[in-house]
PDB file of all heavy atoms in Angstrom:
ATOM      1  N   THR A   1      12.837  -2.152  -8.123  1.00  0.00           N
ATOM      2  CA  THR A   1      14.004  -2.626  -7.385  1.00  0.00           C
ATOM      3  C   THR A   1      13.978  -2.044  -5.974  1.00  0.00           C
ATOM      4  O   THR A   1      13.060  -1.289  -5.618  1.00  0.00           O
ATOM      5  CB  THR A   1      15.299  -2.180  -8.079  1.00  0.00           C
ATOM      6  OG1 THR A   1      15.405  -0.753  -7.987  1.00  0.00           O
ATOM      7  CG2 THR A   1      15.305  -2.592  -9.547  1.00  0.00           C
ATOM      8  N   MET A   2      14.984  -2.365  -5.191  1.00  0.00           N
ATOM      9  CA  MET A   2      15.077  -1.789  -3.854  1.00  0.00           C
ATOM     10  C   MET A   2      15.162  -0.272  -3.918  1.00  0.00           C
ATOM     11  O   MET A   2      14.578   0.431  -3.085  1.00  0.00           O
ATOM     12  CB  MET A   2      16.298  -2.362  -3.120  1.00  0.00           C
ATOM     13  CG  MET A   2      16.101  -3.793  -2.671  1.00  0.00           C
ATOM     14  SD  MET A   2      17.634  -4.609  -2.107  1.00  0.00           S
ATOM     15  CE  MET A   2      18.334  -3.398  -0.998  1.00  0.00           C
ATOM     16  N   ALA A   3      15.872   0.244  -4.912  1.00  0.00           N
ATOM     17  CA  ALA A   3      16.048   1.692  -5.028  1.00  0.00           C
ATOM     18  C   ALA A   3      14.903   2.371  -5.769  1.00  0.00           C
ATOM     19  O   ALA A   3      14.667   3.564  -5.581  1.00  0.00           O
ATOM     20  CB  ALA A   3      17.370   2.001  -5.728  1.00  0.00           C
ATOM     21  N   THR A   4      14.196   1.607  -6.611  1.00  0.00           N
ATOM     22  CA  THR A   4      13.104   2.195  -7.405  1.00  0.00           C
ATOM     23  C   THR A   4      11.878   1.290  -7.361  1.00  0.00           C
ATOM     24  O   THR A   4      11.437   0.752  -8.387  1.00  0.00           O
ATOM     25  CB  THR A   4      13.543   2.407  -8.865  1.00  0.00           C
ATOM     26  OG1 THR A   4      13.953   1.147  -9.419  1.00  0.00           O
ATOM     27  CG2 THR A   4      14.695   3.410  -8.957  1.00  0.00           C
ATOM     28  N   PRO A   5      11.279   1.102  -6.193  1.00  0.00           N
ATOM     29  CA  PRO A   5      10.128   0.205  -6.088  1.00  0.00           C
ATOM     30  C   PRO A   5       8.849   0.857  -6.602  1.00  0.00           C
ATOM     31  O   PRO A   5       8.687   2.070  -6.539  1.00  0.00           O
ATOM     32  CB  PRO A   5      10.038  -0.057  -4.583  1.00  0.00           C
ATOM     33  CG  PRO A   5      10.568   1.208  -3.970  1.00  0.00           C
ATOM     34  CD  PRO A   5      11.654   1.682  -4.889  1.00  0.00           C
ATOM     35  N   ASP A   6       7.948   0.024  -7.095  1.00  0.00           N
ATOM     36  CA  ASP A   6       6.619   0.485  -7.507  1.00  0.00           C
ATOM     37  C   ASP A   6       5.678   0.250  -6.330  1.00  0.00           C
ATOM     38  O   ASP A   6       5.071  -0.820  -6.201  1.00  0.00           O
ATOM     39  CB  ASP A   6       6.162  -0.293  -8.737  1.00  0.00           C
ATOM     40  CG  ASP A   6       4.830   0.194  -9.302  1.00  0.00           C
ATOM     41  OD1 ASP A   6       4.075   0.847  -8.556  1.00  0.00           O
ATOM     42  OD2 ASP A   6       4.554  -0.087 -10.480  1.00  0.00           O
ATOM     43  N   ALA A   7       5.570   1.238  -5.466  1.00  0.00           N
ATOM     44  CA  ALA A   7       4.827   1.073  -4.213  1.00  0.00           C
ATOM     45  C   ALA A   7       3.353   0.753  -4.456  1.00  0.00           C
ATOM     46  O   ALA A   7       2.764  -0.061  -3.742  1.00  0.00           O
ATOM     47  CB  ALA A   7       4.956   2.333  -3.355  1.00  0.00           C
ATOM     48  N   ARG A   8       2.753   1.381  -5.449  1.00  0.00           N
ATOM     49  CA  ARG A   8       1.326   1.139  -5.712  1.00  0.00           C
ATOM     50  C   ARG A   8       1.093  -0.313  -6.107  1.00  0.00           C
ATOM     51  O   ARG A   8       0.163  -0.964  -5.615  1.00  0.00           O
ATOM     52  CB  ARG A   8       0.832   2.075  -6.810  1.00  0.00           C
ATOM     53  CG  ARG A   8      -0.645   1.882  -7.152  1.00  0.00           C
ATOM     54  CD  ARG A   8      -1.112   2.887  -8.188  1.00  0.00           C
ATOM     55  NE  ARG A   8      -1.030   4.245  -7.675  1.00  0.00           N
ATOM     56  CZ  ARG A   8      -1.431   5.317  -8.361  1.00  0.00           C
ATOM     57  NH1 ARG A   8      -1.897   5.184  -9.599  1.00  0.00           N
ATOM     58  NH2 ARG A   8      -1.345   6.515  -7.826  1.00  0.00           N
ATOM     59  N   ALA A   9       1.947  -0.823  -7.001  1.00  0.00           N
ATOM     60  CA  ALA A   9       1.795  -2.213  -7.441  1.00  0.00           C
ATOM     61  C   ALA A   9       2.053  -3.179  -6.291  1.00  0.00           C
ATOM     62  O   ALA A   9       1.358  -4.196  -6.154  1.00  0.00           O
ATOM     63  CB  ALA A   9       2.746  -2.500  -8.600  1.00  0.00           C
ATOM     64  N   ILE A  10       3.039  -2.867  -5.463  1.00  0.00           N
ATOM     65  CA  ILE A  10       3.361  -3.743  -4.333  1.00  0.00           C
ATOM     66  C   ILE A  10       2.210  -3.784  -3.340  1.00  0.00           C
ATOM     67  O   ILE A  10       1.778  -4.856  -2.906  1.00  0.00           O
ATOM     68  CB  ILE A  10       4.651  -3.275  -3.640  1.00  0.00           C
ATOM     69  CG1 ILE A  10       5.850  -3.439  -4.580  1.00  0.00           C
ATOM     70  CG2 ILE A  10       4.884  -4.063  -2.343  1.00  0.00           C
ATOM     71  CD1 ILE A  10       7.127  -2.820  -4.054  1.00  0.00           C
ATOM     72  N   ARG A  11       1.684  -2.626  -3.001  1.00  0.00           N
ATOM     73  CA  ARG A  11       0.610  -2.597  -2.004  1.00  0.00           C
ATOM     74  C   ARG A  11      -0.636  -3.318  -2.504  1.00  0.00           C
ATOM     75  O   ARG A  11      -1.346  -3.970  -1.723  1.00  0.00           O
ATOM     76  CB  ARG A  11       0.269  -1.152  -1.652  1.00  0.00           C
ATOM     77  CG  ARG A  11      -0.601  -1.067  -0.398  1.00  0.00           C
ATOM     78  CD  ARG A  11      -0.902   0.346   0.001  1.00  0.00           C
ATOM     79  NE  ARG A  11      -1.500   0.378   1.330  1.00  0.00           N
ATOM     80  CZ  ARG A  11      -2.148   1.428   1.825  1.00  0.00           C
ATOM     81  NH1 ARG A  11      -2.243   2.545   1.115  1.00  0.00           N
ATOM     82  NH2 ARG A  11      -2.673   1.371   3.036  1.00  0.00           N
ATOM     83  N   ALA A  12      -0.907  -3.231  -3.812  1.00  0.00           N
ATOM     84  CA  ALA A  12      -2.085  -3.898  -4.375  1.00  0.00           C
ATOM     85  C   ALA A  12      -2.012  -5.413  -4.232  1.00  0.00           C
ATOM     86  O   ALA A  12      -3.048  -6.092  -4.224  1.00  0.00           O
ATOM     87  CB  ALA A  12      -2.233  -3.512  -5.844  1.00  0.00           C
ATOM     88  N   LEU A  13      -0.801  -5.934  -4.085  1.00  0.00           N
ATOM     89  CA  LEU A  13      -0.621  -7.380  -3.948  1.00  0.00           C
ATOM     90  C   LEU A  13      -0.802  -7.873  -2.518  1.00  0.00           C
ATOM     91  O   LEU A  13      -0.744  -9.070  -2.260  1.00  0.00           O
ATOM     92  CB  LEU A  13       0.774  -7.765  -4.456  1.00  0.00           C
ATOM     93  CG  LEU A  13       0.976  -7.614  -5.965  1.00  0.00           C
ATOM     94  CD1 LEU A  13       2.458  -7.664  -6.312  1.00  0.00           C
ATOM     95  CD2 LEU A  13       0.209  -8.693  -6.718  1.00  0.00           C
ATOM     96  N   ARG A  14      -0.950  -6.949  -1.569  1.00  0.00           N
ATOM     97  CA  ARG A  14      -1.177  -7.264  -0.153  1.00  0.00           C
ATOM     98  C   ARG A  14      -0.107  -8.219   0.405  1.00  0.00           C
ATOM     99  O   ARG A  14      -0.422  -9.272   0.971  1.00  0.00           O
ATOM    100  CB  ARG A  14      -2.563  -7.863   0.061  1.00  0.00           C
ATOM    101  CG  ARG A  14      -3.699  -6.940  -0.304  1.00  0.00           C
ATOM    102  CD  ARG A  14      -5.061  -7.567  -0.148  1.00  0.00           C
ATOM    103  NE  ARG A  14      -5.276  -8.626  -1.125  1.00  0.00           N
ATOM    104  CZ  ARG A  14      -5.258  -9.921  -0.841  1.00  0.00           C
ATOM    105  NH1 ARG A  14      -5.023 -10.329   0.398  1.00  0.00           N
ATOM    106  NH2 ARG A  14      -5.465 -10.819  -1.772  1.00  0.00           N
ATOM    107  N   PRO A  15       1.165  -7.866   0.274  1.00  0.00           N
ATOM    108  CA  PRO A  15       2.214  -8.764   0.781  1.00  0.00           C
ATOM    109  C   PRO A  15       2.253  -8.796   2.301  1.00  0.00           C
ATOM    110  O   PRO A  15       1.952  -7.795   2.969  1.00  0.00           O
ATOM    111  CB  PRO A  15       3.496  -8.137   0.220  1.00  0.00           C
ATOM    112  CG  PRO A  15       3.180  -6.682   0.129  1.00  0.00           C
ATOM    113  CD  PRO A  15       1.733  -6.623  -0.292  1.00  0.00           C
ATOM    114  N   ASP A  16       2.624  -9.936   2.852  1.00  0.00           N
ATOM    115  CA  ASP A  16       2.865  -9.995   4.293  1.00  0.00           C
ATOM    116  C   ASP A  16       4.351  -9.916   4.613  1.00  0.00           C
ATOM    117  O   ASP A  16       4.731  -9.920   5.779  1.00  0.00           O
ATOM    118  CB  ASP A  16       2.240 -11.245   4.925  1.00  0.00           C
ATOM    119  CG  ASP A  16       2.669 -12.543   4.264  1.00  0.00           C
ATOM    120  OD1 ASP A  16       3.647 -12.531   3.478  1.00  0.00           O
ATOM    121  OD2 ASP A  16       2.031 -13.572   4.517  1.00  0.00           O
ATOM    122  N   ALA A  17       5.200  -9.824   3.567  1.00  0.00           N
ATOM    123  CA  ALA A  17       6.647  -9.677   3.792  1.00  0.00           C
ATOM    124  C   ALA A  17       7.299  -9.070   2.558  1.00  0.00           C
ATOM    125  O   ALA A  17       6.897  -9.351   1.422  1.00  0.00           O
ATOM    126  CB  ALA A  17       7.280 -11.021   4.113  1.00  0.00           C
ATOM    127  N   LEU A  18       8.304  -8.236   2.808  1.00  0.00           N
ATOM    128  CA  LEU A  18       9.181  -7.723   1.764  1.00  0.00           C
ATOM    129  C   LEU A  18      10.574  -8.263   2.043  1.00  0.00           C
ATOM    130  O   LEU A  18      11.039  -8.227   3.183  1.00  0.00           O
ATOM    131  CB  LEU A  18       9.241  -6.191   1.774  1.00  0.00           C
ATOM    132  CG  LEU A  18       7.950  -5.404   1.564  1.00  0.00           C
ATOM    133  CD1 LEU A  18       8.264  -3.904   1.567  1.00  0.00           C
ATOM    134  CD2 LEU A  18       7.269  -5.803   0.274  1.00  0.00           C
ATOM    135  N   VAL A  19      11.256  -8.740   0.994  1.00  0.00           N
ATOM    136  CA  VAL A  19      12.598  -9.279   1.174  1.00  0.00           C
ATOM    137  C   VAL A  19      13.552  -8.647   0.172  1.00  0.00           C
ATOM    138  O   VAL A  19      13.153  -8.164  -0.881  1.00  0.00           O
ATOM    139  CB  VAL A  19      12.626 -10.816   1.027  1.00  0.00           C
ATOM    140  CG1 VAL A  19      11.756 -11.476   2.081  1.00  0.00           C
ATOM    141  CG2 VAL A  19      12.184 -11.243  -0.372  1.00  0.00           C
ATOM    142  N   GLY A  20      14.829  -8.657   0.542  1.00  0.00           N
ATOM    143  CA  GLY A  20      15.879  -8.134  -0.313  1.00  0.00           C
ATOM    144  C   GLY A  20      17.205  -8.454   0.330  1.00  0.00           C
ATOM    145  O   GLY A  20      17.351  -9.483   1.001  1.00  0.00           O
ATOM    146  N   VAL A  21      18.170  -7.570   0.157  1.00  0.00           N
ATOM    147  CA  VAL A  21      19.459  -7.675   0.831  1.00  0.00           C
ATOM    148  C   VAL A  21      19.769  -6.308   1.434  1.00  0.00           C
ATOM    149  O   VAL A  21      19.181  -5.297   1.051  1.00  0.00           O
ATOM    150  CB  VAL A  21      20.587  -8.097  -0.135  1.00  0.00           C
ATOM    151  CG1 VAL A  21      20.349  -9.504  -0.650  1.00  0.00           C
ATOM    152  CG2 VAL A  21      20.725  -7.115  -1.285  1.00  0.00           C
ATOM    153  N   GLU A  22      20.693  -6.301   2.384  1.00  0.00           N
ATOM    154  CA  GLU A  22      21.074  -5.035   2.992  1.00  0.00           C
ATOM    155  C   GLU A  22      21.650  -4.104   1.927  1.00  0.00           C
ATOM    156  O   GLU A  22      22.523  -4.488   1.154  1.00  0.00           O
ATOM    157  CB  GLU A  22      22.115  -5.276   4.081  1.00  0.00           C
ATOM    158  CG  GLU A  22      22.534  -3.998   4.790  1.00  0.00           C
ATOM    159  CD  GLU A  22      23.609  -4.264   5.826  1.00  0.00           C
ATOM    160  OE1 GLU A  22      23.356  -5.096   6.715  1.00  0.00           O
ATOM    161  OE2 GLU A  22      24.685  -3.664   5.738  1.00  0.00           O
ATOM    162  N   GLY A  23      21.148  -2.889   1.876  1.00  0.00           N
ATOM    163  CA  GLY A  23      21.605  -1.941   0.867  1.00  0.00           C
ATOM    164  C   GLY A  23      20.643  -0.778   0.749  1.00  0.00           C
ATOM    165  O   GLY A  23      19.686  -0.666   1.516  1.00  0.00           O
ATOM    166  N   PRO A  24      20.855   0.086  -0.231  1.00  0.00           N
ATOM    167  CA  PRO A  24      20.001   1.265  -0.394  1.00  0.00           C
ATOM    168  C   PRO A  24      18.564   0.880  -0.750  1.00  0.00           C
ATOM    169  O   PRO A  24      18.335   0.122  -1.691  1.00  0.00           O
ATOM    170  CB  PRO A  24      20.662   2.013  -1.560  1.00  0.00           C
ATOM    171  CG  PRO A  24      22.048   1.485  -1.630  1.00  0.00           C
ATOM    172  CD  PRO A  24      21.973   0.059  -1.185  1.00  0.00           C
ATOM    173  N   VAL A  25      17.633   1.397   0.028  1.00  0.00           N
ATOM    174  CA  VAL A  25      16.215   1.131  -0.205  1.00  0.00           C
ATOM    175  C   VAL A  25      15.455   2.456  -0.164  1.00  0.00           C
ATOM    176  O   VAL A  25      15.686   3.280   0.724  1.00  0.00           O
ATOM    177  CB  VAL A  25      15.633   0.189   0.871  1.00  0.00           C
ATOM    178  CG1 VAL A  25      14.153  -0.059   0.610  1.00  0.00           C
ATOM    179  CG2 VAL A  25      16.387  -1.123   0.897  1.00  0.00           C
ATOM    180  N   ALA A  26      14.549   2.635  -1.093  1.00  0.00           N
ATOM    181  CA  ALA A  26      13.758   3.872  -1.156  1.00  0.00           C
ATOM    182  C   ALA A  26      12.611   3.785  -0.165  1.00  0.00           C
ATOM    183  O   ALA A  26      11.450   3.585  -0.523  1.00  0.00           O
ATOM    184  CB  ALA A  26      13.244   4.096  -2.575  1.00  0.00           C
ATOM    185  N   THR A  27      12.928   3.944   1.114  1.00  0.00           N
ATOM    186  CA  THR A  27      11.918   3.790   2.156  1.00  0.00           C
ATOM    187  C   THR A  27      10.830   4.853   2.074  1.00  0.00           C
ATOM    188  O   THR A  27       9.677   4.595   2.439  1.00  0.00           O
ATOM    189  CB  THR A  27      12.573   3.816   3.541  1.00  0.00           C
ATOM    190  OG1 THR A  27      13.418   4.967   3.641  1.00  0.00           O
ATOM    191  CG2 THR A  27      13.406   2.569   3.762  1.00  0.00           C
ATOM    192  N   THR A  28      11.170   6.047   1.617  1.00  0.00           N
ATOM    193  CA  THR A  28      10.147   7.090   1.482  1.00  0.00           C
ATOM    194  C   THR A  28       9.095   6.668   0.470  1.00  0.00           C
ATOM    195  O   THR A  28       7.882   6.783   0.715  1.00  0.00           O
ATOM    196  CB  THR A  28      10.788   8.420   1.050  1.00  0.00           C
ATOM    197  OG1 THR A  28      11.738   8.818   2.042  1.00  0.00           O
ATOM    198  CG2 THR A  28       9.734   9.506   0.897  1.00  0.00           C
ATOM    199  N   THR A  29       9.534   6.151  -0.661  1.00  0.00           N
ATOM    200  CA  THR A  29       8.600   5.674  -1.687  1.00  0.00           C
ATOM    201  C   THR A  29       7.750   4.529  -1.157  1.00  0.00           C
ATOM    202  O   THR A  29       6.564   4.397  -1.508  1.00  0.00           O
ATOM    203  CB  THR A  29       9.386   5.198  -2.923  1.00  0.00           C
ATOM    204  OG1 THR A  29      10.191   6.277  -3.402  1.00  0.00           O
ATOM    205  CG2 THR A  29       8.451   4.738  -4.028  1.00  0.00           C
ATOM    206  N   LEU A  30       8.319   3.699  -0.301  1.00  0.00           N
ATOM    207  CA  LEU A  30       7.622   2.514   0.202  1.00  0.00           C
ATOM    208  C   LEU A  30       6.717   2.784   1.401  1.00  0.00           C
ATOM    209  O   LEU A  30       6.090   1.855   1.907  1.00  0.00           O
ATOM    210  CB  LEU A  30       8.645   1.441   0.582  1.00  0.00           C
ATOM    211  CG  LEU A  30       9.293   0.679  -0.569  1.00  0.00           C
ATOM    212  CD1 LEU A  30      10.432  -0.187  -0.050  1.00  0.00           C
ATOM    213  CD2 LEU A  30       8.268  -0.190  -1.299  1.00  0.00           C
ATOM    214  N   GLN A  31       6.618   4.026   1.854  1.00  0.00           N
ATOM    215  CA  GLN A  31       5.818   4.325   3.039  1.00  0.00           C
ATOM    216  C   GLN A  31       4.393   3.776   2.976  1.00  0.00           C
ATOM    217  O   GLN A  31       3.898   3.231   3.964  1.00  0.00           O
ATOM    218  CB  GLN A  31       5.807   5.827   3.317  1.00  0.00           C
ATOM    219  CG  GLN A  31       7.056   6.352   4.003  1.00  0.00           C
ATOM    220  CD  GLN A  31       7.394   5.578   5.269  1.00  0.00           C
ATOM    221  OE1 GLN A  31       6.540   5.375   6.128  1.00  0.00           O
ATOM    222  NE2 GLN A  31       8.640   5.137   5.373  1.00  0.00           N
ATOM    223  N   PRO A  32       3.672   3.900   1.854  1.00  0.00           N
ATOM    224  CA  PRO A  32       2.321   3.327   1.807  1.00  0.00           C
ATOM    225  C   PRO A  32       2.309   1.824   2.042  1.00  0.00           C
ATOM    226  O   PRO A  32       1.368   1.286   2.636  1.00  0.00           O
ATOM    227  CB  PRO A  32       1.842   3.672   0.380  1.00  0.00           C
ATOM    228  CG  PRO A  32       2.659   4.843  -0.021  1.00  0.00           C
ATOM    229  CD  PRO A  32       4.003   4.631   0.614  1.00  0.00           C
ATOM    230  N   VAL A  33       3.357   1.147   1.576  1.00  0.00           N
ATOM    231  CA  VAL A  33       3.453  -0.299   1.790  1.00  0.00           C
ATOM    232  C   VAL A  33       3.805  -0.597   3.234  1.00  0.00           C
ATOM    233  O   VAL A  33       3.205  -1.472   3.881  1.00  0.00           O
ATOM    234  CB  VAL A  33       4.517  -0.915   0.858  1.00  0.00           C
ATOM    235  CG1 VAL A  33       4.637  -2.421   1.099  1.00  0.00           C
ATOM    236  CG2 VAL A  33       4.185  -0.626  -0.602  1.00  0.00           C
ATOM    237  N   LEU A  34       4.765   0.141   3.785  1.00  0.00           N
ATOM    238  CA  LEU A  34       5.206  -0.092   5.159  1.00  0.00           C
ATOM    239  C   LEU A  34       4.107   0.204   6.164  1.00  0.00           C
ATOM    240  O   LEU A  34       4.107  -0.345   7.276  1.00  0.00           O
ATOM    241  CB  LEU A  34       6.443   0.763   5.449  1.00  0.00           C
ATOM    242  CG  LEU A  34       7.662   0.497   4.556  1.00  0.00           C
ATOM    243  CD1 LEU A  34       8.807   1.422   4.931  1.00  0.00           C
ATOM    244  CD2 LEU A  34       8.093  -0.964   4.649  1.00  0.00           C
ATOM    245  N   ALA A  35       3.171   1.057   5.787  1.00  0.00           N
ATOM    246  CA  ALA A  35       2.054   1.370   6.683  1.00  0.00           C
ATOM    247  C   ALA A  35       1.198   0.137   6.961  1.00  0.00           C
ATOM    248  O   ALA A  35       0.485   0.091   7.970  1.00  0.00           O
ATOM    249  CB  ALA A  35       1.199   2.475   6.069  1.00  0.00           C
ATOM    250  N   ASP A  36       1.257  -0.850   6.086  1.00  0.00           N
ATOM    251  CA  ASP A  36       0.507  -2.098   6.288  1.00  0.00           C
ATOM    252  C   ASP A  36       1.282  -3.102   7.136  1.00  0.00           C
ATOM    253  O   ASP A  36       0.808  -4.217   7.373  1.00  0.00           O
ATOM    254  CB  ASP A  36       0.177  -2.731   4.930  1.00  0.00           C
ATOM    255  CG  ASP A  36      -0.775  -1.870   4.111  1.00  0.00           C
ATOM    256  OD1 ASP A  36      -1.570  -1.119   4.713  1.00  0.00           O
ATOM    257  OD2 ASP A  36      -0.706  -1.930   2.865  1.00  0.00           O
ATOM    258  N   HIS A  37       2.485  -2.729   7.570  1.00  0.00           N
ATOM    259  CA  HIS A  37       3.322  -3.518   8.491  1.00  0.00           C
ATOM    260  C   HIS A  37       3.698  -4.913   7.972  1.00  0.00           C
ATOM    261  O   HIS A  37       3.569  -5.904   8.695  1.00  0.00           O
ATOM    262  CB  HIS A  37       2.637  -3.649   9.847  1.00  0.00           C
ATOM    263  CG  HIS A  37       2.259  -2.335  10.453  1.00  0.00           C
ATOM    264  ND1 HIS A  37       3.201  -1.408  10.867  1.00  0.00           N
ATOM    265  CD2 HIS A  37       1.043  -1.764  10.679  1.00  0.00           C
ATOM    266  CE1 HIS A  37       2.576  -0.341  11.339  1.00  0.00           C
ATOM    267  NE2 HIS A  37       1.285  -0.520  11.224  1.00  0.00           N
ATOM    268  N   PRO A  38       4.177  -5.008   6.740  1.00  0.00           N
ATOM    269  CA  PRO A  38       4.723  -6.307   6.311  1.00  0.00           C
ATOM    270  C   PRO A  38       6.029  -6.576   7.043  1.00  0.00           C
ATOM    271  O   PRO A  38       6.705  -5.652   7.494  1.00  0.00           O
ATOM    272  CB  PRO A  38       4.975  -6.100   4.814  1.00  0.00           C
ATOM    273  CG  PRO A  38       5.277  -4.639   4.710  1.00  0.00           C
ATOM    274  CD  PRO A  38       4.372  -3.969   5.716  1.00  0.00           C
ATOM    275  N   ARG A  39       6.381  -7.826   7.176  1.00  0.00           N
ATOM    276  CA  ARG A  39       7.680  -8.152   7.752  1.00  0.00           C
ATOM    277  C   ARG A  39       8.777  -7.807   6.746  1.00  0.00           C
ATOM    278  O   ARG A  39       8.585  -7.938   5.537  1.00  0.00           O
ATOM    279  CB  ARG A  39       7.734  -9.629   8.126  1.00  0.00           C
ATOM    280  CG  ARG A  39       7.003  -9.900   9.446  1.00  0.00           C
ATOM    281  CD  ARG A  39       6.986 -11.379   9.761  1.00  0.00           C
ATOM    282  NE  ARG A  39       5.922 -12.041   9.024  1.00  0.00           N
ATOM    283  CZ  ARG A  39       5.692 -13.356   9.076  1.00  0.00           C
ATOM    284  NH1 ARG A  39       6.490 -14.125   9.785  1.00  0.00           N
ATOM    285  NH2 ARG A  39       4.694 -13.877   8.413  1.00  0.00           N
ATOM    286  N   LEU A  40       9.912  -7.359   7.248  1.00  0.00           N
ATOM    287  CA  LEU A  40      11.034  -6.954   6.405  1.00  0.00           C
ATOM    288  C   LEU A  40      12.230  -7.848   6.681  1.00  0.00           C
ATOM    289  O   LEU A  40      12.674  -7.950   7.826  1.00  0.00           O
ATOM    290  CB  LEU A  40      11.413  -5.493   6.683  1.00  0.00           C
ATOM    291  CG  LEU A  40      10.301  -4.459   6.578  1.00  0.00           C
ATOM    292  CD1 LEU A  40      10.836  -3.075   6.940  1.00  0.00           C
ATOM    293  CD2 LEU A  40       9.693  -4.452   5.187  1.00  0.00           C
ATOM    294  N   VAL A  41      12.758  -8.464   5.649  1.00  0.00           N
ATOM    295  CA  VAL A  41      13.949  -9.311   5.791  1.00  0.00           C
ATOM    296  C   VAL A  41      14.952  -8.881   4.724  1.00  0.00           C
ATOM    297  O   VAL A  41      14.793  -9.188   3.544  1.00  0.00           O
ATOM    298  CB  VAL A  41      13.601 -10.807   5.645  1.00  0.00           C
ATOM    299  CG1 VAL A  41      14.869 -11.656   5.732  1.00  0.00           C
ATOM    300  CG2 VAL A  41      12.625 -11.227   6.739  1.00  0.00           C
ATOM    301  N   PHE A  42      15.970  -8.138   5.153  1.00  0.00           N
ATOM    302  CA  PHE A  42      17.005  -7.602   4.268  1.00  0.00           C
ATOM    303  C   PHE A  42      18.382  -7.911   4.867  1.00  0.00           C
ATOM    304  O   PHE A  42      19.060  -7.031   5.373  1.00  0.00           O
ATOM    305  CB  PHE A  42      16.832  -6.093   4.089  1.00  0.00           C
ATOM    306  CG  PHE A  42      15.656  -5.708   3.232  1.00  0.00           C
ATOM    307  CD1 PHE A  42      14.365  -5.807   3.712  1.00  0.00           C
ATOM    308  CD2 PHE A  42      15.846  -5.246   1.937  1.00  0.00           C
ATOM    309  CE1 PHE A  42      13.272  -5.458   2.924  1.00  0.00           C
ATOM    310  CE2 PHE A  42      14.769  -4.886   1.142  1.00  0.00           C
ATOM    311  CZ  PHE A  42      13.481  -5.003   1.635  1.00  0.00           C
ATOM    312  N   PRO A  43      18.805  -9.169   4.840  1.00  0.00           N
ATOM    313  CA  PRO A  43      20.075  -9.536   5.472  1.00  0.00           C
ATOM    314  C   PRO A  43      21.278  -9.078   4.658  1.00  0.00           C
ATOM    315  O   PRO A  43      21.200  -8.808   3.462  1.00  0.00           O
ATOM    316  CB  PRO A  43      20.009 -11.067   5.523  1.00  0.00           C
ATOM    317  CG  PRO A  43      19.147 -11.411   4.358  1.00  0.00           C
ATOM    318  CD  PRO A  43      18.127 -10.319   4.257  1.00  0.00           C
ATOM    319  N   ARG A  44      22.409  -9.013   5.331  1.00  0.00           N
ATOM    320  CA  ARG A  44      23.659  -8.667   4.677  1.00  0.00           C
ATOM    321  C   ARG A  44      24.047  -9.796   3.715  1.00  0.00           C
ATOM    322  O   ARG A  44      23.925 -10.975   4.053  1.00  0.00           O
ATOM    323  CB  ARG A  44      24.756  -8.480   5.730  1.00  0.00           C
ATOM    324  CG  ARG A  44      26.129  -8.107   5.173  1.00  0.00           C
ATOM    325  CD  ARG A  44      27.124  -7.914   6.314  1.00  0.00           C
ATOM    326  NE  ARG A  44      28.468  -7.687   5.827  1.00  0.00           N
ATOM    327  CZ  ARG A  44      28.931  -6.494   5.464  1.00  0.00           C
ATOM    328  NH1 ARG A  44      28.141  -5.438   5.552  1.00  0.00           N
ATOM    329  NH2 ARG A  44      30.162  -6.349   5.022  1.00  0.00           N
ATOM    330  N   ALA A  45      24.520  -9.437   2.523  1.00  0.00           N
ATOM    331  CA  ALA A  45      24.918 -10.446   1.538  1.00  0.00           C
ATOM    332  C   ALA A  45      26.094  -9.951   0.722  1.00  0.00           C
ATOM    333  O   ALA A  45      26.098 -10.019  -0.501  1.00  0.00           O
ATOM    334  CB  ALA A  45      23.747 -10.804   0.632  1.00  0.00           C
ATOM    335  N   GLU A  46      27.112  -9.425   1.395  1.00  0.00           N
ATOM    336  CA  GLU A  46      28.288  -8.904   0.704  1.00  0.00           C
ATOM    337  C   GLU A  46      29.247 -10.019   0.301  1.00  0.00           C
ATOM    338  O   GLU A  46      29.758 -10.034  -0.811  1.00  0.00           O
ATOM    339  CB  GLU A  46      29.012  -7.895   1.600  1.00  0.00           C
ATOM    340  CG  GLU A  46      28.256  -6.600   1.805  1.00  0.00           C
ATOM    341  CD  GLU A  46      28.237  -5.730   0.564  1.00  0.00           C
ATOM    342  OE1 GLU A  46      29.163  -5.854  -0.260  1.00  0.00           O
ATOM    343  OE2 GLU A  46      27.297  -4.941   0.413  1.00  0.00           O
TER     344      GLU A  46
END
């Protein structure tokens, strides 16, 4: 999930974008994925 992502599995898929909604995201866990510079789209959806 946004709060508990599996960074290894995500990076292995070579995504060019990560999507979700505005909210808590485990960015520290996702650092290996973010290092590949995927586009991020997390709009507000309250």
